[in-house]
Amino acid sequence: MTIATFTQGVNESLCEAWEQFNSLFRHCPTHGYDDGGQISTFLEWLKPQTKLMLDTLAKRKTMYKTLDEAKEIIKNMASNDYEVHHDRTPTLMQKRGVFE
């Protein structure tokens, strides 16, 4: 996959898409994209429900935020998404006790 052909996979979480996207840039340091171009490309190829989630968090279109605000929103949401997908003690598997 190249930067220009990046898309969020059907079963790919936001944190996985963000990591994959950043990995593409790390592997191609002479990519020619400025920060704004990177964020625009990332947002353009996300699944509609992921875009909606980011826009809801941003309280308006993420694309209309400043570059720093948009990056911060994406990083925070990806971090939270990572924690949800990689929780070591899922709620359903926790041992239930008796209240004393």
Side-chain angles (χ1 to χ4, degrees):
M1 175 180 291
T2 66
I3 294 168
T5 61
F6 166 80
T7 57
Q8 181 181 12
V10 174
N11 294 318
E12 190 172 45
S13 66
L14 173 62
C15 64
E16 292 167 332
W18 182 241
E19 179 55 38
Q20 174 192 1
F21 187 73
N22 285 305
S23 177
L24 293 171
F25 282 95
R26 283 192 300 273
H27 287 95
C28 185
T30 58
H31 50 73
Y33 285 81
D34 62 9
D35 285 347
Q38 290 178 31
I39 296 298
S40 294
T41 300
F42 180 73
L43 293 172
E44 182 178 346
W45 295 108
L46 289 176
K47 296 183 295 187
Q49 63 267 37
T50 304
K51 286 182 193 178
L52 180 61
M53 180 178 61
L54 285 169
D55 289 344
T56 300
L57 180 66
K59 296 185 174 79
R60 61 182 170 139
K61 291 274 189 202
T62 308
M63 289 291 292
Y64 298 120
K65 294 286 192 179
T66 68
L67 179 59
D68 289 337
E69 288 173 326
K71 284 173 76 173
E72 192 65 27
I73 289 167
I74 293 167
K75 287 192 319 190
N76 287 338
M77 198 67 185
S79 177
N80 290 339
D81 186 54
Y82 178 85
E83 290 173 12
V84 167
H85 285 91
H86 297 89
D87 186 2
R88 293 177 189 241
T89 55
T91 305
L92 296 176
M93 297 179 71
Q94 288 179 354
K95 200 173 193 179
R96 302 286 180 199
V98 177
F99 288 106
E100 293 185 39

